[in-house]
Amino acid sequence: MSRFEKYLEHNYFQTTCALGRDDRKRMWRDIIFCVIIIIVIVVLDFFIQDYIKNSAEEMSVELEDLKHEVSNKEDDKINELDTQLIRETWEKRYKILASVIEHDELEKVEKNLTGIYSAIESNELSEVISELDESIFILRHIKDKYSFKIENVF
């Protein structure tokens, strides 16, 4: 064995054995603390993903119902209760979603919902359907973008 190899072996032995009992306890305590933090982050991420998925699905279903109602209307009048329900649902969900989703995505939905409300007030049914389709597409995109998939990881 060369002098250099002896030096490396001696140095490795000193560094591994140089840790006292208290140092090893502290090291394990730090490792366990890091593992607990990672587990908490992963669990919270699953809850957040579930909330985003449920919020997007709920809004999509309500918008699909409104679209179906608009496409079946013959008298060009849309029930204000439906739009009020959508507005309340969005405002309730927006507060939490704004803390976990990019604001650009939420602004797109907000812009489309505003377009829907103004088109309903002016009784432009074709514009309402167009805005509804775009809002539903964006909500589905948000749901897919924030779901845990291999595509989204890499």
Side-chain angles (χ1 to χ4, degrees):
M1 190 181 295
S2 73
R3 188 182 294 167
F4 181 69
E5 290 172 340
K6 286 180 183 178
Y7 173 77
L8 287 178
E9 184 178 311
H10 179 70
N11 242 1
Y12 174 75
F13 182 73
Q14 278 186 335
T15 55
T16 55
C17 293
L19 292 176
R21 186 175 179 96
D22 293 335
D23 292 333
R24 281 188 231 137
K25 282 184 180 180
R26 191 176 312 120
M27 181 182 68
W28 280 108
R29 184 188 66 213
D30 293 345
I31 290 172
I32 290 171
F33 183 70
C34 290
V35 168
I36 289 171
I37 288 176
I38 290 171
I39 290 171
V40 167
I41 289 171
V42 168
V43 168
L44 287 176
D45 187 50
F46 281 117
F47 283 116
I48 289 170
Q49 286 177 17
D50 189 50
Y51 184 81
I52 291 171
K53 178 183 166 198
N54 290 338
S55 298
E57 285 178 0
E58 181 181 356
M59 283 298 297
S60 295
V61 166
E62 288 183 14
L63 292 175
E64 287 280 352
D65 291 343
L66 182 62
K67 179 182 172 186
H68 183 68
E69 183 180 321
V70 167
S71 61
N72 290 339
K73 284 290 182 181
E74 295 176 9
D75 58 355
D76 294 342
K77 295 288 182 186
I78 299 170
N79 191 356
E80 285 294 321
L81 293 175
D82 294 333
T83 57
Q84 185 64 27
L85 177 66
I86 291 171
R87 187 173 288 160
E88 289 172 0
T89 303
W90 177 250
E91 288 173 1
K92 178 180 74 171
R93 298 289 185 154
Y94 180 83
K95 293 175 186 175
I96 297 174
L97 290 175
S99 63
V100 293
I101 292 181
E102 295 176 24
H103 293 285
D104 294 339
E105 303 286 341
L106 296 176
E107 287 174 4
K108 290 176 189 175
V109 176
E110 189 80 31
K111 177 186 146 289
N112 287 337
L113 290 176
T114 304
I116 291 169
Y117 303 142
S118 64
I120 287 174
E121 287 177 8
S122 62
N123 286 328
E124 297 176 18
L125 296 184
S126 61
E127 184 69 26
V128 172
I129 293 174
S130 152
E131 293 287 340
L132 283 168
D133 285 337
E134 193 172 339
S135 296
I136 292 167
F137 174 77
I138 292 171
L139 287 167
R140 287 184 181 152
H141 171 70
I142 288 172
K143 184 180 91 173
D144 291 339
K145 182 178 179 180
Y146 290 97
S147 64
F148 187 71
K149 295 180 182 177
I150 295 295
E151 308 163 349
N152 296 340
V153 173
F154 297 108

